[in-house]
Amino acid sequence: MHTTDVLVIGAGIVGAACAHALAQAGLSVRVLDARLGGATAAGMGHLVVMDDNPAELALSRASLELWHRWAPQMDAGCAFTPCGTLWVAANEAELRAAHDKGAALQAQGVACELLDAAALARAEPALRPGLAGALKVQGDSVVYAPRAAQWLLDQAALRAPLRVEQAEAAQIDGRTVTLRDGSRRSAGAIVLASGIRAPQLCPGLPLRPKKGHLVITDRYPGTVHHQLVELGYIASAHHSDGTSVAFNVQPRPTGQLLIGSSREFDTTDPAVSDALLGRMLQRALHYLPGLADLNAIRTWTGFRAATPDGLPIIGPHPQRPHLWLAVGHEGLGVTTAPATAQLIAAQIVGMPLPLDAAAFAAHRFAPLQA
């Protein structure tokens, strides 16, 4: 039996951020990860302020502040790039929506500006003519999430005792985790941050997989300068059924372009769907016609863990003492990992919370009260 202050299950970006915050609080931490691959390795690494509701805005904004605070200390492998986001408006109705979105963000202190058609064309010449404009959010950035997660663990190890163990958790019982090989690990508190696999260890978690496709191109430096997202992405991201695609293209520091996005329910098949991939690429070509001349070198899929209301579950399990939840971040796990971790650490050590945690409480879902 190995004992530590806190045991974190999952070494993706959320689990790594939790380990980092807990170590900063002076606690000894053990991290278990089965190395099965997850959303951190499959996603885009877009750090974006989202404002679909006040809770999401508070969590993402607080997290972006931390990402920018960490950026000067990160190594080159983290590929932190403050490229900003352009929320592209295809027509005048969407431009009005961009104006409203900008006003709401500015009211919360988020720096942004509205670009008309001419300014958008100057900012991104590769976009097709005829677009109405865009909302530019300056502070949005990009990071290579797998390396950023390792950086967080490395930093945690400098602050407090930390051990990362490649092992698969099979069962949680009170303060004890039984591994797949039958051995056990105990801790004063257990943080479950294993994404879509979390319900296997905590039945009743209302998590549903959302499958997504991504494509990456060869190196074409200077083709795109900002993260480009259509305003319709917001509606697409919150569909609760069926499949959807939206235009989302990200420039990587290597000169490559990362192309998304798609969302698909009711499947756990990791295979690439040629039909859905085709729809996604056609949507991208509608905004960036020049993509047709570029060489794609890899396609892949991943699964986001989504809750019914679109907000993550952050905090104590209402019926299982010593178990803390940091799951259900869907497509915002990389963005919101830092503030999620601060909430978890503050609650475990009994410190003041950095923001209101009520909207993320587990007890809002009936299955977790049973």
Side-chain angles (χ1 to χ4, degrees):
M1 181 77 72
H2 301 272
T3 301
T4 189
D5 289 333
V6 185
L7 190 154
V8 178
I9 302 175
I13 195 69
V14 174
C18 288
H20 179 265
L22 291 162
Q24 284 193 315
L27 301 179
S28 62
V29 182
R30 180 186 293 266
V31 180
L32 299 178
D33 191 84
R35 305 284 176 88
L36 298 176
T40 297
M44 296 184 80
H46 188 191
L47 307 178
V48 54
V49 175
M50 294 292 283
D51 62 335
D52 294 343
N53 56 69
E56 182 181 77
L57 175 58
L59 191 68
S60 59
R61 182 186 173 199
S63 293
L64 262 291
E65 291 176 358
L66 285 168
W67 278 117
H68 282 277
R69 190 183 308 168
W70 294 338
Q73 307 164 42
M74 288 181 174
D75 58 57
C78 295
F80 182 91
T81 308
C83 58
T85 298
L86 292 183
W87 291 92
V88 180
N91 51 50
E92 290 302 319
E94 289 190 354
L95 191 60
R96 289 192 294 273
H99 176 274
D100 294 343
K101 180 180 178 69
L105 290 176
Q106 287 177 332
Q108 296 298 318
V110 179
C112 53
E113 62 175 314
L114 198 65
L115 306 183
D116 61 15
L120 176 59
R122 289 193 298 269
E124 293 290 353
L127 285 168
R128 69 169 173 85
L131 296 170
L135 177 69
K136 179 179 179 179
V137 184
Q138 284 96 321
D140 287 358
S141 304
V142 168
V143 72
Y144 182 55
R147 177 57 204 160
Q150 184 59 55
W151 179 84
L152 286 166
L153 292 173
D154 293 342
Q155 293 299 304
L158 299 176
R159 301 296 298 268
L162 173 78
R163 179 170 180 179
V164 180
E165 184 176 359
Q166 182 177 352
E168 183 177 358
Q171 182 178 341
I172 301 172
D173 183 12
R175 298 182 180 182
T176 300
V177 174
T178 302
L179 305 186
R180 188 64 62 189
D181 65 5
S183 62
R184 295 184 297 164
R185 307 289 183 267
S186 67
I190 296 170
V191 176
L192 182 57
S194 56
I196 201 61
R197 294 180 178 82
Q200 299 170 17
L201 295 169
C202 183
L205 283 178
L207 300 181
R208 189 181 182 191
K210 275 188 180 180
K211 180 180 178 180
H213 287 68
L214 287 173
V215 178
I216 196 164
T217 71
D218 210 336
R219 301 182 182 218
Y220 302 97
T223 302
V224 169
H225 307 281
H226 305 80
Q227 176 101 224
L228 302 177
V229 191
E230 66 167 298
L231 277 163
Y233 173 93
I234 299 171
S236 166
H238 290 282
H239 282 176
S240 59
D241 290 291
T243 61
S244 61
V245 298
F247 169 60
N248 187 355
V249 170
Q250 177 189 105
R252 301 299 302 166
T254 57
Q256 296 171 284
L257 299 181
L258 193 54
I259 305 170
S261 65
S262 72
R263 279 169 170 77
E264 183 180 8
F265 277 113
D266 304 320
T267 178
T268 55
D269 182 0
V272 171
S273 165
D274 291 340
L276 190 54
L277 184 66
R279 283 178 55 192
M280 187 183 83
L281 291 174
Q282 283 297 324
R283 190 65 181 172
L285 288 168
H286 177 67
Y287 286 86
L288 277 174
L291 289 177
D293 299 323
L294 307 188
N295 180 40
I297 61 173
R298 183 185 169 217
T299 62
W300 69 96
T301 66
F303 293 92
R304 315 167 183 94
T307 63
D309 63 6
L311 290 174
I313 303 171
I314 306 170
H317 192 292
Q319 297 297 329
R320 299 182 65 172
H322 318 299
L323 178 61
W324 301 79
L325 304 171
V327 295
H329 294 75
E330 212 251 294
L332 285 178
V334 179
T335 289
T336 59
T340 293
Q342 284 203 330
L343 283 174
I344 288 289
Q347 291 179 82
I348 287 177
V349 301
M351 296 294 288
L353 301 185
L355 64 149
D356 188 357
F360 313 112
H363 62 68
R364 72 188 193 270
F365 297 114
L368 294 181
Q369 299 177 25

